[in-house]
Amino acid sequence: MNNFTLHTPTKILFGEGQIAGIAAEIPQNARILIVYGGGSIKRNGVLDQVHAALAGRSIAEFSGVEPNPTYETLMKAVEVVHREHINFLLAVGGGSVADGTKFIAAAANYTASDDPWHILQTGGQDITQALPIGVVLTLPATGSESNSGAVITRKASGDKQAFHSTLVRPQFAVLDPVVTYTLPERQIANGVVDAFVHTLEQYLTYPVDAKVQDRFAEGLLLTLVEEGPRALEEPDNYAVRANVMWSATLALNGLIGAGVPQDWSTHMLGHELTAMHGLDHAQTLAVVLPAMLRDRKAQKREKLLQYAERVWNLRDGSEEGRIDGAIEATRGFFERMGVPTRMSDYQLDGSSIPALVEKLEEHGMTALGEHKDITLADSQRVYEAAR
Amino acid sequence: MNNFTLHTPTKILFGEGQIAGIAAEIPQNARILIVYGGGSIKRNGVLDQVHAALAGRSIAEFSGVEPNPTYETLMKAVEVVHREHINFLLAVGGGSVADGTKFIAAAANYTASDDPWHILQTGGQDITQALPIGVVLTLPATGSESNSGAVITRKASGDKQAFHSTLVRPQFAVLDPVVTYTLPERQIANGVVDAFVHTLEQYLTYPVDAKVQDRFAEGLLLTLVEEGPRALEEPDNYAVRANVMWSATLALNGLIGAGVPQDWSTHMLGHELTAMHGLDHAQTLAVVLPAMLRDRKAQKREKLLQYAERVWNLRDGSEEGRIDGAIEATRGFFERMGVPTRMSDYQLDGSSIPALVEKLEEHGMTALGEHKDITLADSQRVYEAAR
């Protein structure tokens, strides 16, 4: 096991009716900005629950944060923060809204540059203060509700980049599985795939004898395999939605990645597909991951065999056969969730691959993976194999 | 899954050499009291590492905290806190030292009663302030380093009772597996048994379809079964000690118990054995647990079957046979760790059982377990079966 520091201070309020609990978590005299997306929280009653919980408080609203939240939109929210003297941000939505709110929190009083896009260019390392954040989660997927990372897109340049700062980690997150009942199938499917790949990026590397982290990762994977398809078939099964929601948070709150190598190459290649072609984040992961695993079989051999045995119960036959079986089982799981796994399924013929690789280079993604040995040529080969 | 609130803000510094990291976690101008036990930290160099990390700081020391820390001793530490105007407590030791430090932290400025034993009588509910605490853990076992509970013994009356308050949860905990190399075998064995039973108390109840919590608990149990005996055989195997240490912390930091029923009856019956006869805490758990599980087979049937399959790989034969097999495998595991599982192994003939049951009654332990259906008569039967 590698050395690690693990800090998971976000307070989790989990279960039906827990939105009412935000009243006790936000300072009484706070000037609150509710940040949300396209308005589904108006239709499903979540925004009403939030207002009921915060009756009598000072509240402003900012809506219109997109999936893959953009710098351009978020800078308008920063203006509202300044104009209304906001000192608490309440994100109500999925990972995009949480990510966007983190950017607003950091950009509001950013001093290292006149242009807050600098936060993305420097990965967040020179953030010195941020507004406090709470999250009411409506879509289990990214884990953003209790971690310190965010991914922001700049429309003008087609860039999609990440930043991290413990200063933007939410103080609390409300996870009520009931609010996910009305989500479109595609969003639940994307969320399950996203959480699954988050787990794999921290698990399918090389062994460091970290038995607890391995068992926990496998526990999340097994749960998502069991509950993912049921979440589509039985949208108002509380227990199923609860298991999916809790899995997605734990997949990326720092716990399973503490003390182990991490990969994240699939995410990096995926980000470029979203930025250039507008694919959903999870769709890009479903496309890239199987190709990446096939390409990295040698480097990931021992963990692929463990994955095959413990998650897919593949114990017989040759090692090669079990590894291939596990990769194809992973692809089959994504397909069963309704998320296709080939570029061609999204009307991409591969002609943009050189441009995608150029973007990787532009973003400094020239040595990816747990061994930092995935070159641009390797990435190009993976994109080609994903056609 | 049941509703829950989960808050795990204790920052974990894990790995070899991490004691140096405490310098950055304790305020520069703090007046620090180092609290420890019998002096093993002087012999194994841990105290030297702590002093090196805190060179130039204001430091006082209080030693002599016992296994099963006593009110009588801890009140002397409270006097030191007052006399030296201490405002930060650094516990250096195992669960007893951490527990004792929590009591000192709460008792130092306790206002609800003139006698801080009142903290135990009220379970900690009227604690309104506590000194900040950090922990340098030397013995993986209780999980006290990152939770809000403590168990304190009053010698004068032979009472052993618990209290809980989020105000006494440590701000940080250092877990360096190397410092456990020199522990006596008995302490490592006790620690493994303690962590194992902590996990079972939160797992072996009844199903609430909490798949992640179940998988995580099983992951800890499997790790302890694999690594516990190796920790005895290979005392300086870093990976093994690391896996045991991390398992013990996660067994009782709130994570696996969030949203599921909890039992804790074995602990309650065990506490009385320690208070009356001086058995080690883990020894009492090893004695009580197998008898308790046999007695509660009907109430715990489904989870016992799951435990038999997933932890002990018992898949064939009758349900009754698998359940009995799992209970005997548990007993065998404790014995393999060198912790006997019968009262008679500790020269107890059972003649004190009526007195033990009286103590349970005196402490209000008249309706124990996840169903609150374990009466004093049931407890008496369990003690008898454990002879």
Side-chain angles (χ1 to χ4, degrees):
Chain A
M1 195 186 309
N2 301 335
N3 280 11
F4 65 84
T5 299
L6 177 64
H7 197 200
T8 54
T10 302
K11 188 173 180 178
I12 304 292
L13 310 179
F14 193 100
E16 181 166 9
Q18 293 276 34
I19 292 174
I22 64 175
E25 303 299 329
I26 302 176
Q28 196 64 37
N29 59 356
R31 295 180 62 86
I32 306 164
L33 182 66
I34 300 176
V35 180
Y36 59 100
S40 66
I41 63 165
K42 287 184 179 170
R43 293 189 296 279
N44 65 13
V46 170
L47 188 59
D48 286 343
Q49 286 190 62
V50 168
H51 277 292
L54 298 177
R57 307 290 187 96
S58 164
I59 295 180
E61 290 188 13
F62 182 86
S63 67
V65 177
E66 313 91 334
N68 304 306
T70 67
Y71 165 78
E72 288 83 353
T73 298
L74 299 169
M75 286 306 291
K76 292 181 194 156
V78 172
E79 284 173 29
V80 177
V81 167
H82 292 155
R83 194 170 64 232
E84 303 290 338
H85 306 290
I86 297 297
N87 56 20
F88 196 99
L89 299 176
L90 182 65
V92 182
S96 295
V97 172
D99 279 12
T101 302
K102 289 174 180 177
F103 178 80
I104 300 167
N109 300 300
Y110 190 61
T111 56
S113 165
D114 287 340
D115 181 359
W117 182 250
H118 193 251
I119 292 170
L120 282 305
Q121 291 171 316
T122 53
Q125 64 186 12
D126 52 12
I127 297 169
T128 56
Q129 52 182 319
L131 296 176
I133 298 173
V135 178
V136 175
L137 189 69
T138 59
L139 171 59
T142 73
S144 181
E145 63 278 7
S146 72
N147 67 35
S148 56
V151 179
I152 307 296
T153 297
R154 188 164 63 170
K155 244 188 313 198
S157 57
D159 290 317
K160 182 173 181 180
Q161 289 190 256
F163 77 96
H164 292 82
S165 168
T166 57
L167 294 166
V168 300
R169 185 161 34 204
Q171 295 187 343
F172 67 85
V174 178
L175 281 64
D176 178 349
V178 175
V179 311
T180 73
Y181 289 178
T182 54
L183 284 171
E185 274 201 6
R186 172 166 154 182
Q187 289 196 24
I188 279 288
N190 281 346
V192 168
V193 169
D194 197 20
F196 195 88
V197 179
H198 287 161
T199 307
L200 284 187
E201 296 268 36
Q202 300 164 85
Y203 168 74
L204 265 185
T205 59
Y206 55 87
V208 294
D209 209 349
K211 295 198 172 182
V212 175
Q213 290 90 327
D214 280 3
R215 293 280 184 194
F216 279 19
E218 289 150 3
L220 296 178
L221 297 170
L222 286 162
T223 301
L224 290 167
V225 168
E226 287 174 26
E227 302 291 72
R230 290 183 68 195
L232 297 179
E233 292 153 17
E234 309 163 36
D236 55 358
N237 182 324
Y238 180 85
V240 169
R241 291 291 170 119
N243 286 327
V244 167
M245 200 167 204
W246 193 215
S247 294
T249 294
L250 291 170
L252 201 50
N253 77 336
L255 178 66
I256 63 167
V260 297
Q262 302 194 16
D263 181 345
W264 299 107
S265 60
T266 290
H267 270 71
M268 296 307 114
L269 270 63
H271 285 341
E272 304 304 346
L273 277 169
T274 296
M276 191 172 294
H277 298 293
L279 268 66
D280 296 349
H281 173 57
Q283 292 172 336
T284 72
L285 303 177
V287 164
V288 174
L289 184 81
M292 181 65 78
L293 293 183
R294 281 205 171 277
D295 201 83
R296 298 285 116 183
K297 273 198 257 184
Q299 294 86 343
K300 295 178 184 294
R301 183 167 198 85
E302 286 175 81
K303 290 304 280 284
L304 276 166
L305 284 166
Q306 183 177 321
Y307 171 61
E309 176 179 331
R310 294 192 185 171
V311 176
W312 297 109
N313 204 24
L314 300 170
R315 295 156 194 269
D316 303 320
S318 69
E319 293 194 347
E320 197 69 15
R322 279 175 271 153
I323 288 173
D324 289 346
I327 295 172
E328 286 317 299
T330 307
R331 183 192 296 282
F333 172 59
F334 297 159
E335 301 272 355
R336 200 156 65 249
M337 291 303 298
V339 184
T341 59
R342 301 277 182 192
M343 276 195 205
S344 57
D345 297 319
Y346 302 92
Q347 288 72 55
L348 298 179
D349 61 7
S351 57
S352 68
I353 290 175
L356 290 165
V357 174
E358 261 176 46
K359 275 291 181 187
L360 279 177
E361 183 169 22
E362 187 182 325
H363 294 145
M365 303 298 165
T366 55
L368 296 174
E370 66 272 20
H371 295 290
K372 305 277 169 230
D373 65 348
I374 301 177
T375 63
L376 290 174
D378 296 327
S379 292
Q380 174 140 11
R381 195 171 59 245
V382 170
Y383 278 134
E384 295 287 350
R387 290 165 69 171
Chain B
M1 196 185 309
N2 301 334
N3 280 12
F4 65 83
T5 299
L6 177 64
H7 197 199
T8 53
T10 302
K11 187 173 181 178
I12 305 292
L13 310 178
F14 192 102
E16 182 166 8
Q18 293 277 34
I19 292 174
I22 63 176
E25 304 298 331
I26 302 175
Q28 196 64 37
N29 59 355
R31 295 181 61 88
I32 305 164
L33 183 65
I34 299 176
V35 181
Y36 59 100
S40 65
I41 62 164
K42 287 185 179 171
R43 292 187 297 277
N44 65 13
V46 170
L47 189 58
D48 286 342
Q49 286 190 61
V50 168
H51 277 292
L54 299 177
R57 307 289 188 98
S58 164
I59 295 179
E61 291 188 14
F62 182 87
S63 67
V65 177
E66 313 91 333
N68 304 305
T70 67
Y71 164 78
E72 287 84 353
T73 298
L74 300 169
M75 287 305 290
K76 292 182 194 156
V78 172
E79 284 174 30
V80 177
V81 166
H82 291 155
R83 195 171 62 232
E84 304 289 336
H85 306 290
I86 298 296
N87 56 20
F88 196 98
L89 300 175
L90 183 65
V92 183
S96 295
V97 172
D99 280 12
T101 302
K102 290 174 181 177
F103 178 80
I104 300 167
N109 300 300
Y110 190 61
T111 56
S113 164
D114 288 340
D115 181 0
W117 183 250
H118 193 251
I119 292 171
L120 281 305
Q121 291 171 316
T122 53
Q125 65 186 11
D126 52 12
I127 297 169
T128 56
Q129 52 182 319
L131 295 176
I133 297 172
V135 178
V136 174
L137 189 68
T138 60
L139 170 59
T142 72
S144 182
E145 63 278 7
S146 72
N147 66 34
S148 56
V151 179
I152 307 296
T153 297
R154 187 164 64 170
K155 243 187 314 196
S157 57
D159 290 316
K160 181 174 181 180
Q161 289 190 258
F163 78 96
H164 291 82
S165 169
T166 57
L167 293 166
V168 300
R169 185 162 32 204
Q171 295 188 342
F172 67 84
V174 178
L175 280 64
D176 179 348
V178 175
V179 309
T180 74
Y181 289 179
T182 54
L183 284 170
E185 275 201 4
R186 172 167 156 182
Q187 290 196 25
I188 279 288
N190 281 346
V192 169
V193 169
D194 197 20
F196 195 89
V197 179
H198 287 161
T199 307
L200 284 186
E201 296 269 35
Q202 301 164 86
Y203 167 74
L204 265 185
T205 59
Y206 55 89
V208 294
D209 209 350
K211 295 198 172 183
V212 175
Q213 291 90 328
D214 280 3
R215 293 279 184 194
F216 279 19
E218 289 150 3
L220 296 178
L221 297 170
L222 286 163
T223 301
L224 290 166
V225 168
E226 287 174 27
E227 302 290 73
R230 289 183 69 195
L232 297 179
E233 292 153 16
E234 309 163 35
D236 55 359
N237 183 323
Y238 181 85
V240 169
R241 291 292 169 117
N243 286 327
V244 167
M245 200 167 203
W246 193 215
S247 295
T249 294
L250 291 169
L252 201 50
N253 77 336
L255 178 67
I256 63 168
V260 297
Q262 303 193 15
D263 181 345
W264 298 107
S265 60
T266 290
H267 270 70
M268 296 307 115
L269 269 64
H271 284 341
E272 303 304 347
L273 277 169
T274 297
M276 191 171 297
H277 298 294
L279 270 65
D280 296 348
H281 174 56
Q283 292 172 336
T284 72
L285 303 177
V287 164
V288 174
L289 184 81
M292 181 64 78
L293 293 183
R294 282 206 170 275
D295 201 83
R296 298 284 117 183
K297 274 198 256 183
Q299 294 86 344
K300 295 178 184 293
R301 183 169 198 83
E302 287 174 80
K303 290 304 280 286
L304 277 166
L305 285 166
Q306 182 176 321
Y307 172 61
E309 177 180 332
R310 294 193 185 171
V311 176
W312 297 109
N313 204 24
L314 301 170
R315 295 155 193 271
D316 303 320
S318 70
E319 293 195 346
E320 198 67 14
R322 279 175 271 153
I323 288 173
D324 289 345
I327 296 172
E328 287 316 299
T330 308
R331 182 191 297 281
F333 172 59
F334 297 158
E335 300 272 356
R336 201 156 64 250
M337 291 302 299
V339 184
T341 59
R342 302 277 183 192
M343 277 195 206
S344 57
D345 298 317
Y346 303 91
Q347 289 72 56
L348 298 179
D349 62 5
S351 57
S352 68
I353 290 174
L356 290 166
V357 174
E358 262 176 47
K359 275 292 182 186
L360 278 178
E361 182 168 21
E362 188 182 324
H363 294 145
M365 303 298 164
T366 55
L368 296 174
E370 66 272 20
H371 296 291
K372 305 276 168 231
D373 65 347
I374 301 177
T375 64
L376 289 174
D378 296 327
S379 292
Q380 175 140 11
R381 196 172 56 245
V382 170
Y383 278 134
E384 295 287 350
R387 290 167 67 174

